[in-house]
Amino acid sequence: MTTPAPITTQFDLAEKFPGTVSADARPGYAGWIVAPEKLTEVAIFIRDELGYDLLSSVTGVDYLAEGLMEIVYHVYKTSGGPALVFKAQLPRLDPVKVASLTPVWLGAELQEREIWDLYGIHFENHPDLRRILMWEGFDGHPMRKDWKEAFYDDEVKPFKSRWPEGKHAFAEDRSPFGDNVSFEAGFDPEKWTATDPEEALYATLKKYKTVVKDGIATDHILVNMGPQHPSTHGVFRAVVMLDGENVVSLKPVMGYLHRNHEKIGERNTFLQNMPYTDRLDYFNSMSNNWPYAMAVEKMMGIQVTERAEYIRVIMAELSRIQNHMILIGMLMNDLGAYFTPALYAFEERELILDIFEAASGSRMMCNYHRFGGVVRDVPAEALQKLKDLVFERLPGKIDEFDRLLSENEIFVSRLKGIGYLSPEDAIRTSMTGPMLRASGIPYDIRRADPYSVYDRFDFNVAVRYNGDLYDRYLIRIDEMRESIKILEQALRQMPEGPVMSVKPTYQVKVPAGEAYGRIESPKGELGFYVVSNGKPNPYRYHVRAPSFINLTSLEMTCVNEKIADFVAILGAVDIVLGELDR
Amino acid sequence: MDTYGKGIFKGLMVTAKHFFDSYLDDIKWWGKRYYTPEGLAHRSSKDAKGIFTVQYPEEKVPVPEEFRYIPFLVYDESETGEKTIRCTSCGICAKACPPQCIWIVRGSDPNTGRPVPQPAEFTIDADICMNCGFCAEYCPFDAIKMDHDYEIASYGRNLLNKEALMKPAKYYAEIRPLNNAREEAARAEKAATKAAKA
Amino acid sequence: MTPNELNSPGYDIPDDMKNVVAITTLDKIYNFGRRSSVWPLMFGLACCAIEMIAAQASRYDLARFGMEVMRPSPRQSDLMLVAGTVTKKMLPAIVRLYNQMPEPKYVIAMGACASGGGPFKEGYNVVAGIDKYLPVDVYIPGCPPTPQALVYGLIKLQEKIDGQSLKQVRWYQKGADSVEVPIPMLGPDLIDPRRIPEIKTKAAELAAAATIPNAE
Ligand code: SF4
Ligand code: SF4
Ligand code: SF4
């Protein structure tokens, strides 16, 4: 078993920047603390001199008792290796301010907006600092530790009102306004006037000018796609400025499925978060559980049994196959090949879900991982079916997909050369997963920073070099084939044995500290940043969602393309709203 | 680029194969492909081709033993028809439940007022429950289990009280035979060691 | 659906005419037509929507119930399947979609979230059940309901349609033929226009309580 490499830094930043950078000395923590005023300078050094070109995750933590707000950055090298973690600590005064790192890593853009929205930390020089998940005009920054929601019951779970005097009461009856809303004392809805929450949004799109083309005065037009639109795969919304049919500028608008995952996650106990992670990327609950389990296992310092590691790998790879199949099917739907490929994909998906259901009890919300292993072994019957699928059915089906679509001229002409993303831009905007690899960067966490037992398998990192939609399609086919390879090896090597290394319990003890667990999920790098203060609940629980961060490059890839291609470009990013909005 | 349309044709061959398969497979399985357990098993096996559809509600995809839907409370029934609920109102399920949708009022003796190991009220808000199965997983008394019955759509909300939640142990043994056998064995062993000690 | 189902009991049809002739009531024909061509709005909110798509797809195939035509436009649909978590930010759009649907229209709350808030009920951006705003016809518990559970719910809806009578249905009565739900507003928090006076009173009460010293 290989434990993921501990978060260390080879280079002594404190020595290089005396007085500016110091090692994080809190027990259980690692990384560097950078003085906020020098943040940009240090960041540029880390990027240019040390070569950490990929900004993976940025998040805030509210240390209420210490009177500090902290921003945590995880950066990686696309050539592989562990993370470099650095943090900026800001006094918790109003307004909390820090320099934006968007000029250094463009990938910080959406993440900093999220921190502004949820924590109220102001990023100076950010190109577009607006709320992102909540609407403009919402009262408060909800992730702050002293902010309470309308249905607030208790600081942490388990709530005392449930047992032993657990008379049932609806949360609605408890809250003063009789619903999940709260208003300031003295708020008068009659005097409140609706300001247009969209004004700031529209202002950020390139202002249209009336130009005269061929003697005709021409305007740009603004089109709202979503939140209810068949092409947006859920409740995503994009506001597009069009010149004729060409996209001039575009802004993603999200938050329509913001379910307050992180706020709830910090009230939950460690174990209680497990089923919630299922509901992030609801196509791949099997692989969602994993990085969270990994992060907590890291803090607890426990190992996972051999067999459980193999089961985890097998389930995650199966999940990847069905995800990519559905993605291709849905992409075809977007392009107008109405339903045939999608229906074929759903057949394979159903067969895979049957296995998930037999092993975990639910088709979609598997809730299968536990700290130290998985909840139960795969039943013999399901294991047999799994082998049948992997050895006899799925490889043929993947080839069939390949035959069905890859050479179809109409399809190829819709995809080739569309939505180009250069390798430099892909790194700059923190792309991960197939998006990054289709642009020619062979960065796959399973290889770059191996976790679990991936170092025992012989497989190739799928990579394509054209950076267009067609390559983003092909890379999914490649990856499915690689997954089959991994599955075949894993099924052959899988040892017998227990699937849990510790006694199952619903109260786990997690020592104080922080940990970041990440895997190569089908959509990209899925990471969980978890902070424990030794209590039964995580102090901070953050999800680094690939669907969310992969949208940073959306505008870049859409500009100058046709509006009809936007649909395909978005489809090929592979977003899932549960993960995007959390 | 060679003949335009070759790729489309190649793809169409795949759809054509699917199309003919649906007839060939129907003929091969003449009469037995639908509404029979073997036919259904065939349609969800590695060899499935042709029509994939399950004719719900006339035939149903069998749910695996571990399938979980809404939890229920198990009660044992004696020969005289007396129902004893297994739950001791220890509160572990209510503590483990992630969305906190279990409410338990611990029972008390009407005479002495002292707590007794019986829930006076037990409520699960099925409109909050996330079917995670933690309650069943961590209940030390095998008293709460996950149901297999998913046909419970109704014209109103689903706030389940103790009466609505109770189902006999017989039913549990039916839907989860392996789990039940394992738990019975464990309980018998426990009882045996206890008897040996006494 | 065999035409036999259309027959009203109590009429003797000669054997050789069976399956050819049916004697029935207007209500029955009307309902048969409606229940066999319920077009859902193509509208997914969260995880439950995936199971809804799965129910549409190869294995469960809603076309068997005449429900395969998922319309992305509310103007062409009869059924709003609220499949997933309703958030405050999304709510105005949902209510607007509902208002735009022509009568007769039905709402199914699919899954715990749509029925009563679900696991995310305590969240600050979550609406605890769509029935606070829209009249719900069928509730399907589960998180997520499996495709079969969903189909069962749809059959329940068909049963409900079967029970309706031309004479009594809302949309043939005099007066307004469509229910319009006032569209909620996004202020400092979600404002339900129907509850404005209530909110005002309560907020004023809170303010009064705050000014009294030692009100704790
Ligand atoms: S169901 Fe089980 S865990 Fe829950 S209170 Fe009863 S005995 Fe305890
Ligand atoms: S299944 Fe999960 S959510 Fe439902 S009652 Fe049990 S513990 Fe709670
Ligand atoms: S009920 Fe469960 S599965 Fe459905 S949307 Fe809510 S959380 Fe997702």
Side-chain angles (χ1 to χ4, degrees):
Chain A
M1 141 102 217
T2 45
T3 27
I7 298 173
T8 49
T9 28
Q10 299 80 1
F11 186 87
D12 194 354
L13 274 174
E15 200 178 304
K16 168 79 190 167
F17 295 99
T20 304
V21 180
S22 57
D24 193 344
R26 292 169 291 180
Y29 287 74
W32 307 99
I33 295 178
V34 180
E37 23 346 311
K38 294 282 173 60
L39 190 60
T40 314
E41 190 187 317
V42 175
I44 291 177
F45 178 82
I46 290 173
R47 185 192 63 181
D48 294 344
E49 306 298 322
L50 301 184
Y52 287 89
D53 45 0
L54 186 75
L55 174 74
S56 157
S57 145
V58 186
T59 186
V61 189
D62 179 9
Y63 288 103
L64 183 62
E66 289 88 346
L68 287 175
M69 289 257 192
E70 191 175 274
I71 305 181
V72 187
Y73 302 86
H74 285 78
V75 287
Y76 289 93
K77 292 178 183 168
T78 44
S79 52
L84 187 150
V85 188
F86 62 98
K87 299 156 190 176
Q89 293 188 328
L90 317 163
R92 208 173 176 285
L93 306 165
D94 253 353
V96 189
K97 269 199 226 164
V98 71
S100 164
L101 285 192
T102 321
V104 188
W105 287 285
L106 204 54
E109 186 188 341
L110 295 181
Q111 306 193 59
E112 286 183 346
R113 272 180 71 189
E114 182 190 306
I115 299 173
W116 156 244
D117 187 357
L118 301 183
Y119 281 98
I121 297 176
H122 192 90
F123 290 90
E124 286 162 323
N125 294 328
H126 188 285
D128 180 20
L129 198 65
R130 285 176 296 116
R131 281 190 180 260
I132 187 163
L133 296 176
M134 301 305 288
W135 60 90
E136 214 59 60
F138 180 75
D139 191 14
H141 298 286
M143 280 301 291
R144 291 190 170 197
K145 285 281 177 189
D146 50 2
W147 193 94
K148 291 191 173 91
E149 56 272 44
F151 280 173
Y152 174 83
D153 195 320
D154 213 334
E155 204 50 50
V156 289
K157 291 175 184 178
F159 297 146
K160 287 179 198 68
S161 56
R162 300 297 193 266
W163 181 86
E165 286 307 320
K167 262 229 161 324
H168 175 264
F170 282 110
E172 284 86 339
D173 301 335
R174 250 188 8 244
S175 120
F177 289 94
D179 200 353
N180 192 5
V181 291
S182 57
F183 297 97
E184 231 171 79
F187 172 72
D188 187 350
E190 281 161 7
K191 295 221 182 74
W192 175 79
T193 42
T195 48
D196 186 4
E198 315 287 25
E199 218 170 289
L201 164 67
Y202 296 148
T204 61
L205 291 157
K206 276 200 194 101
K207 285 269 163 25
Y208 70 83
K209 286 192 278 308
T210 309
V211 285
V212 180
K213 266 192 206 163
D214 306 331
I216 304 166
T218 324
D219 275 352
H220 287 169
I221 46 171
L222 185 100
V223 175
N224 266 298
M225 296 183 79
Q228 152 66 5
H229 190 280
S231 77
T232 56
H233 298 215
V235 287
F236 177 73
R237 171 176 165 209
V239 189
V240 206
M241 187 65 95
L242 295 177
D243 175 15
E245 270 200 67
N246 290 333
V247 177
V248 179
S249 62
L250 175 149
K251 284 278 167 200
V253 187
M254 43 199 117
Y256 293 98
L257 191 57
H258 179 44
R259 300 191 278 195
N260 330 122
H261 206 96
E262 296 181 2
K263 186 88 181 172
I264 295 175
E266 287 169 18
R267 302 228 186 278
N268 282 348
T269 64
F270 280 98
L271 185 70
Q272 283 172 350
N273 272 329
M274 195 59 88
Y276 278 95
T277 63
D278 290 340
R279 284 152 183 83
L280 282 167
D281 172 0
Y282 29 74
F283 276 107
N284 300 298
S285 61
M286 277 289 184
S287 45
N288 288 350
N289 289 172
W290 200 356
Y292 176 62
M294 218 146 85
V296 176
E297 280 155 5
K298 243 187 235 177
M299 279 194 282
M300 291 168 74
I302 55 173
Q303 302 284 313
V304 180
T305 61
E306 277 288 279
R307 189 174 172 84
E309 288 281 19
Y310 276 91
I311 293 180
R312 285 178 176 191
V313 168
I314 289 167
M315 292 303 177
E317 295 304 323
L318 268 186
S319 193
R320 189 185 314 275
I321 292 175
Q322 60 90 17
N323 176 76
H324 284 356
M325 281 206 175
I326 297 290
L327 170 91
I328 293 172
M330 289 297 167
L331 183 64
M332 291 307 113
N333 264 9
D334 294 345
L335 290 175
Y338 206 55
F339 261 130
T340 305
L343 289 180
Y344 291 174
F346 264 100
E347 288 184 15
E348 305 319 307
R349 178 172 188 260
E350 289 291 337
L351 294 177
I352 293 176
L353 291 197
D354 279 350
I355 294 168
F356 289 174
E357 191 177 31
S360 74
S362 179
R363 290 155 47 87
M364 272 174 70
M365 303 303 170
C366 299
N367 186 17
Y368 193 50
H369 290 47
R370 297 288 179 272
F371 308 126
V374 294
V375 56
R376 69 181 72 80
D377 208 337
V378 188
E381 213 175 303
L383 195 61
Q384 188 50 48
K385 192 170 168 196
L386 173 60
K387 285 182 181 156
D388 289 347
L389 282 186
V390 169
F391 288 110
E392 291 172 45
R393 186 180 171 101
L394 290 175
K397 285 290 166 184
I398 295 168
D399 294 343
E400 194 180 275
F401 257 86
D402 199 6
R403 275 206 308 284
L404 178 65
L405 300 165
S406 301
E407 288 171 36
N408 184 318
E409 285 83 358
I410 303 172
F411 173 57
V412 172
S413 62
R414 280 296 308 269
L415 298 184
K416 263 225 168 108
I418 307 288
Y420 176 69
L421 185 65
S422 70
E424 299 76 37
D425 281 342
I427 297 177
R428 227 155 47 92
T429 49
S430 297
M431 295 293 108
T432 46
M435 283 292 282
L436 180 64
R437 290 193 289 274
S439 288
I441 311 287
Y443 179 73
D444 184 322
I445 303 171
R446 291 175 292 174
R447 266 286 143 75
D449 184 12
Y451 52 94
S452 184
V453 289
Y454 274 112
D455 51 352
R456 299 184 196 170
F457 304 123
D458 171 30
F459 68 100
N460 300 321
V461 173
V463 55
R464 295 265 169 176
Y465 297 93
N466 292 328
D468 61 356
L469 278 181
Y470 190 56
D471 273 14
R472 280 177 218 150
Y473 156 76
L474 286 178
I475 202 153
R476 260 88 188 201
I477 300 261
D478 296 346
E479 284 194 6
M480 285 198 276
R481 296 211 166 108
E482 296 305 323
S483 289
I484 292 280
K485 266 198 219 165
I486 298 175
L487 278 167
E488 287 176 349
Q489 295 170 44
L491 281 169
R492 290 211 179 90
Q493 293 175 10
M494 184 156 80
E496 291 297 320
V499 292
M500 278 292 278
S501 63
V502 289
K503 202 171 156 288
T505 161
Y506 68 100
Q507 296 158 310
V508 291
K509 282 222 159 47
V510 182
E514 60 168 5
Y516 184 68
R518 60 170 192 158
I519 65 157
E520 183 69 36
S521 91
K523 301 194 159 57
E525 173 182 336
L526 176 64
F528 283 81
Y529 176 70
V530 186
V531 175
S532 163
N533 56 359
K535 300 229 174 74
N537 313 75
Y539 187 76
R540 176 77 180 109
Y541 164 80
H542 172 69
V543 189
R544 188 261 182 223
S547 302
F548 173 59
I549 295 163
N550 282 356
L551 284 182
T552 317
S553 71
L554 187 66
E555 177 165 20
M556 212 178 260
T557 46
C558 286
V559 167
N560 291 333
E561 302 289 1
K562 298 264 186 293
I563 179 74
D565 292 328
F566 155 72
V567 173
I569 294 173
L570 180 70
V573 179
D574 196 4
I575 55 166
V576 156
L577 268 292
E579 184 181 84
L580 207 170
D581 290 338
R582 280 149 292 146
Chain B
M1 188 172 171
D2 46 11
T3 6
Y4 189 85
K6 207 172 131 216
I8 298 180
F9 183 74
K10 212 167 148 189
L12 283 177
M13 291 308 287
V14 175
T15 31
K17 183 171 176 300
H18 275 253
F19 175 75
F20 288 116
D21 270 350
S22 63
Y23 289 97
L24 292 177
D25 218 50
D26 273 6
I27 294 169
K28 201 166 115 200
W29 278 76
W30 190 256
K32 287 205 296 280
R33 199 165 187 275
Y34 306 97
Y35 311 113
T36 60
E38 316 86 73
L40 187 59
H42 164 67
R43 268 175 289 151
S44 27
S45 74
K46 67 170 181 359
D47 302 315
K49 55 183 177 184
I51 293 174
F52 194 67
T53 308
V54 174
Q55 306 290 331
Y56 184 88
E58 288 84 14
E59 54 177 8
K60 296 171 186 172
V61 183
V63 291
E65 165 140 8
E66 293 301 341
F67 179 74
R68 49 188 150 82
Y69 213 64
I70 305 281
F72 67 93
L73 289 174
V74 186
Y75 67 81
D76 291 305
E77 209 165 6
S78 67
E79 272 99 73
T80 54
E82 201 186 333
K83 296 174 184 175
T84 37
I85 192 163
R86 284 187 189 171
C87 174
T88 61
S89 84
C90 69
I92 286 177
C93 54
K95 284 182 209 150
C97 175
Q100 296 284 293
C101 66
I102 305 182
W103 283 260
I104 303 170
V105 177
R106 192 164 50 196
S108 56
D109 195 304
N111 302 325
T112 60
R114 290 242 293 279
V116 292
Q118 280 274 315
E121 281 175 45
F122 200 108
T123 321
I124 291 182
D125 191 340
D127 291 334
I128 297 181
C129 171
M130 69 201 301
N131 308 165
C132 67
F134 276 170
C135 46
E137 213 173 304
Y138 295 108
C139 170
F141 301 96
D142 302 323
I144 188 165
K145 293 292 169 193
M146 301 304 285
D147 206 344
H148 278 187
D149 185 13
Y150 50 81
E151 292 174 327
I152 45 176
S154 64
Y155 301 124
R157 282 228 196 174
N158 298 282
L159 185 68
L160 306 173
N161 59 13
K162 196 166 96 183
E163 280 62 48
L165 284 167
M166 283 198 343
K167 295 205 175 173
K170 231 176 32 240
Y171 171 77
Y172 173 59
E174 240 164 66
I175 60 168
R176 286 170 194 258
L178 296 178
N179 276 306
N180 187 52
R182 196 163 53 231
E183 285 155 14
E184 297 239 296
R187 273 198 303 271
E189 194 183 321
K190 223 177 180 177
T193 42
K194 217 173 170 187
K197 260 191 209 145
Chain C
M1 301 288 142
T2 56
N4 273 336
E5 279 185 32
L6 266 178
N7 277 325
S8 294
Y11 297 98
D12 277 333
I13 302 173
D15 271 349
D16 51 340
M17 297 289 271
K18 280 222 170 110
N19 286 334
V20 181
V21 171
I23 299 175
T24 183
T25 59
L26 203 52
D27 263 348
K28 255 196 166 163
I29 294 212
Y30 177 70
N31 287 337
F32 174 77
R34 285 192 311 129
R35 56 114 76 176
S36 313
S37 62
V38 177
W39 288 7
L41 178 65
M42 186 171 172
F43 164 69
L45 292 172
C47 354
C48 279
I50 309 301
E51 287 296 56
M52 177 177 82
I53 298 170
Q56 278 285 334
S58 330
R59 197 184 229 176
Y60 302 99
D61 195 8
L62 283 183
R64 296 177 297 123
F65 300 87
M67 295 181 187
E68 78 278 25
V69 200
M70 280 227 166
R71 297 275 103 176
S73 157
R75 304 280 185 206
Q76 302 164 334
S77 21
D78 315 299
L79 166 66
M80 183 182 237
L81 254 168
V82 185
T85 317
V86 182
T87 61
K88 292 180 187 171
K89 197 169 175 180
M90 188 64 194
L91 186 66
I94 298 176
V95 173
R96 218 169 262 141
L97 284 170
Y98 178 78
N99 288 347
Q100 287 170 2
M101 284 166 62
E103 289 279 7
K105 52 187 171 188
Y106 300 93
V107 178
I108 289 189
M110 177 185 181
C113 285
S115 311
F120 296 94
K121 181 171 179 173
E122 61 201 280
Y124 48 84
N125 192 25
V126 175
V127 176
I130 191 65
D131 57 358
K132 292 210 163 73
Y133 292 87
L134 310 181
V136 174
D137 295 286
V138 177
Y139 294 80
I140 310 177
C143 180
T146 58
Q148 303 197 59
L150 170 62
V151 176
Y152 182 78
L154 291 168
I155 294 172
K156 276 273 195 212
L157 178 72
Q158 290 188 327
E159 281 167 17
K160 178 162 184 167
I161 294 176
D162 280 340
Q164 290 179 325
S165 163
L166 269 172
K167 277 185 275 180
Q168 274 139 32
V169 289
R170 164 178 90 223
W171 48 94
Y172 290 130
Q173 307 302 313
K174 286 222 172 64
D177 63 338
S178 169
V179 215
E180 285 261 334
V181 180
I183 294 173
M185 297 176 286
L186 295 176
D189 209 328
L190 188 78
I191 303 174
D192 183 350
R194 297 168 300 187
R195 296 186 57 229
I196 282 182
E198 212 179 307
I199 293 172
K200 188 178 172 182
T201 332
K202 191 72 212 176
E205 254 171 50
L206 287 181
T211 49
I212 301 168
N214 307 329
E216 284 286 276

